[in-house]
Amino acid sequence: MERKHTISVLVENEFGVLARVAGLFSSKGYNIDSLSVSETTDPTLSRMTIVTHGSDQIVEQIIKQLNKLVNVITVEDLTRERHITREMCLIKVKPGAKAEVLKIAERLGARALENNAHAVVVEVTGDEEDLHKALEALKPHGIMEVVRTGMIAIQRGEHVLVGG
């Protein structure tokens, strides 16, 4: 049975690592639904959050192969662990119903980054459901453009993703 998996990968912060990780997914025929990468507090390391769909067995194989890549330090599938996810979305809406759009943004805990005669740009941060609610609420007001960051995730509690 296929389901969504959220995978955290700690890698060396070097040229070509992202291409090797993406290539591994591609070679197995699996799409990366979301990918977010950033340097950690240690500038020699980066952390990737990868969201994909697949059976537990296939994702397990991908994780085993990720662990074999030279520049990969640690891989964890957060799917079965208690974790927090967040994503940011910028939504540009037609300025026609500006007051209503601003009310919706306030109700959703979003904030307006631009508000002029040409467009209203709203920043929404939350989990996948929060972003879906915002898009649905703003859709009737004429969404012009949407940009999403990709999901980031961190395990709850004292557990820390470290090399090792």
Side-chain angles (χ1 to χ4, degrees):
M1 179 176 86
E2 287 201 8
R3 67 180 174 140
K4 185 167 86 174
H5 289 263
T6 302
I7 302 167
S8 280
V9 186
L10 192 63
V11 298
E12 294 173 4
N13 187 9
E14 292 185 7
F15 176 80
V17 175
L18 177 59
R20 283 191 281 284
V21 169
L24 184 101
F25 277 81
S26 174
S27 70
K28 292 290 175 191
Y30 276 86
N31 189 38
I32 294 175
D33 298 335
S34 169
L35 172 66
S36 179
V37 184
S38 182
E39 188 176 284
T40 66
T41 54
D42 177 348
T44 66
L45 302 175
S46 289
R47 183 174 176 149
M48 298 180 178
T49 302
I50 301 169
V51 179
T52 188
H53 281 82
S55 71
D56 289 349
Q57 294 157 324
I58 292 293
V59 172
E60 227 175 270
Q61 285 179 346
I62 289 171
I63 289 172
K64 284 179 183 172
Q65 291 189 356
L66 280 170
N67 275 312
K68 291 179 183 175
L69 292 177
V70 173
N71 303 103
V72 171
I73 297 165
T74 305
V75 182
E76 289 187 11
D77 185 353
L78 299 180
T79 308
R80 294 188 183 128
E81 307 296 330
R82 291 177 352 113
H83 62 281
I84 298 167
T85 61
R86 286 292 179 265
E87 186 175 355
M88 187 176 79
C89 183
L90 299 177
I91 307 167
K92 185 181 289 185
V93 184
K94 293 179 182 175
K98 200 182 292 188
E100 183 62 26
V101 168
L102 295 174
K103 269 189 208 173
I104 291 169
E106 186 177 332
R107 182 172 39 99
L108 296 172
R111 64 185 185 140
L113 301 177
E114 181 176 55
N115 177 8
N116 60 40
H118 307 289
V120 178
V121 177
V122 176
E123 172 191 297
V124 182
T125 303
D127 61 22
E128 195 171 8
E129 187 178 329
D130 294 333
L131 272 52
H132 177 74
K133 283 180 187 172
L135 289 166
E136 287 301 312
L138 294 171
K139 191 184 289 182
H141 302 290
I143 293 175
M144 299 164 64
E145 187 175 14
V146 174
V147 182
R148 296 173 78 151
T149 59
M151 185 183 297
I152 57 171
I154 192 166
Q155 195 167 347
R156 291 185 178 269
E158 66 184 21
H159 178 79
V160 177
L161 185 68
V162 291

